[in-house]
Amino acid sequence: MSSNQVLPPPAYAMDVIANAGSEGILIAAHRGAWLIEPENSVPALEACVEMGVAVMEIDVQLTADRQLIVNHDATIDRMSNGTGLVADHTLAQLKSFRLYERDGAPCDIWKRRLLTDIQFATLAEIFEAARGKILINLEIKSGEKFGFVETFAAARQLALDMNIEQHVLWKIPAATRTYELDLLPGFRGDVSAERSASTIVDGIDTTGLSSLAPIVWQSQRGFEAQIGDFANHTNTPVFEVVAQDRDYWPLDANGKLAGADDHCYMGIAVLPRWCAGLSDEIALRDPDAAWGKLADMGCRIIMTDRPEQMVKYLKKRGKLAMPA
């Protein structure tokens, strides 16, 4: 049950997002601190807060009875002792299952998956745990049964009802790539150079939301053109920048990504194809060559699967944004 207590999001995190002159870098933990606790869980969020991570990326989708549950896959097989689609289970059914540890993979020592006593989290539970402590980077998952528009609308209404919408960086899918399912009625993305990157933002109700985080995806439409598509939007302070090829990103003479002085960019170090090779995999051997490069390019937020190591790295560089 939500307290609906109004607490502002962490001031230090909002300051970094709002101010290009900020010296600090914010860490976004992909699905939370999943090497410590099950991914997308409340304990994974609590572990993020404890280690000084400012943002937790999570995935949300609708259950059969239209409740918002936090899980990445369309099915529950990988992360729990249940089977089948999220959309085919009620919330009560999902709450009867338990999560496997970490990302559901077998334990390195025992060579089998280890079951915890932790349940799937509802979005309301994640929101309540985040209140006043951490920002949520929210990814909407949709499928054949429940589409993006319906799921986004449900999440938006819940956030407004709980007075926690300011704690959320609302991830908006890239309009300039293609998808298997409709994002908007009759629209599955468009990679042509003429497609405005703001198409999806313009097609959904974002009333009351001030922190949208559109994805700027490498496509035939140039990076600066995509950023420019949001020139008349006052609720897009953060852009998730995704590219497979480094030359898609225009850099100035100082190696800064175009627009970095005007916008807060989030680099996605999770997979090489999302960060032009500047990934966690490289960073674990040479953090300066990956995480450091993204920071030097002007990314004020960096998403990672290795928040523990990034905390140590940014502290060593004196770059970790932390509460005063």
Side-chain angles (χ1 to χ4, degrees):
M1 193 74 174
S2 168
S3 67
N4 286 343
Q5 182 182 12
V6 179
L7 289 176
Y12 78 96
M14 301 310 292
D15 182 66
V16 171
I17 290 171
N19 297 299
S22 172
E23 292 295 321
I25 304 295
L26 303 176
I27 296 173
H30 184 234
R31 306 181 199 171
W34 61 263
L35 288 171
I36 299 174
E37 301 286 357
E39 70 174 43
N40 274 321
S41 68
V42 170
L45 181 150
E46 293 169 342
C48 286
V49 173
E50 185 174 349
M51 72 175 68
V53 168
V55 184
M56 175 172 166
E57 190 265 357
I58 66 170
D59 309 275
V60 69
Q61 50 192 299
L62 285 169
T63 66
D65 50 347
R66 287 181 166 77
Q67 301 301 303
L68 289 158
I69 202 81
V70 179
N71 188 58
H72 177 272
D73 300 357
T75 69
I76 60 175
D77 301 53
R78 174 173 63 87
M79 279 308 301
S80 81
N81 59 345
T83 61
L85 294 169
V86 170
D88 288 343
H89 291 79
T90 65
L91 177 58
Q93 289 170 331
L94 290 170
K95 282 292 191 180
S96 72
F97 303 125
R98 295 296 181 269
L99 298 179
Y100 288 113
E101 68 171 14
R102 303 189 304 174
D103 61 347
C107 171
D108 293 338
I109 297 174
W110 300 108
K111 306 303 180 186
R112 61 184 173 87
R113 301 198 293 172
L114 299 182
L115 197 63
T116 72
D117 61 357
I118 299 169
Q119 298 177 319
F120 283 106
T122 64
L123 184 58
E125 289 167 343
I126 290 287
F127 278 169
E128 197 58 49
R131 193 183 297 277
K133 300 175 182 176
I134 193 170
L135 298 177
I136 297 298
N137 181 222
L138 186 62
E139 178 161 357
I140 304 295
K141 295 295 184 182
S142 57
E144 297 283 357
K145 191 170 185 179
F146 302 112
F148 173 79
V149 174
E150 181 176 1
T151 308
F152 181 89
R156 170 184 165 272
Q157 191 58 56
L158 176 66
L160 293 173
D161 290 345
M162 291 183 65
N163 295 310
I164 201 166
E165 66 277 5
Q166 303 302 321
H167 284 68
V168 185
L169 304 179
W170 299 84
K171 189 191 303 279
I172 306 298
T176 52
R177 61 169 291 196
T178 56
Y179 301 84
E180 294 182 1
L181 300 170
D182 285 0
L183 293 172
L184 303 175
F187 181 72
R188 296 187 176 185
D190 182 351
V191 300
S192 69
E194 292 73 32
R195 171 58 60 182
S196 172
S198 67
T199 300
I200 297 172
V201 170
D202 295 336
I204 57 177
D205 184 2
T206 61
T207 304
L209 308 183
S210 61
S211 298
L212 304 184
I215 300 174
V216 178
W217 191 272
Q218 180 173 341
S219 71
Q220 294 178 34
R221 189 163 181 79
F223 179 87
E224 290 177 280
Q226 291 201 54
I227 296 296
D229 291 337
F230 295 92
N232 295 323
H233 294 72
T234 60
N235 58 349
T236 57
V238 174
F239 292 96
E240 296 189 30
V241 294
V242 178
Q244 185 169 345
D245 304 312
R246 197 90 55 93
D247 57 9
Y248 181 73
W249 286 332
L251 305 180
D252 65 19
N254 297 315
K256 279 282 195 77
L257 187 55
D261 289 336
D262 301 309
H263 310 287
C264 180
Y265 291 148
M266 183 189 303
I268 314 297
V270 174
L271 290 175
R273 67 177 181 271
W274 293 344
C275 57
L278 305 175
S279 65
D280 290 340
E281 182 179 1
I282 299 298
L284 292 179
R285 301 194 302 269
D286 183 357
D288 285 331
W291 298 335
K293 181 66 174 176
L294 288 170
D296 293 341
M297 286 171 51
C299 292
R300 282 179 258 158
I301 309 175
I302 303 175
M303 186 183 296
T304 179
D305 272 325
R306 303 287 182 167
E308 303 94 330
Q309 289 92 333
M310 191 183 288
V311 165
K312 293 178 182 177
Y313 169 69
L314 290 178
K315 280 185 175 180
K316 184 178 179 180
R317 277 192 63 176
K319 287 286 189 177
L320 180 64
M322 300 180 67

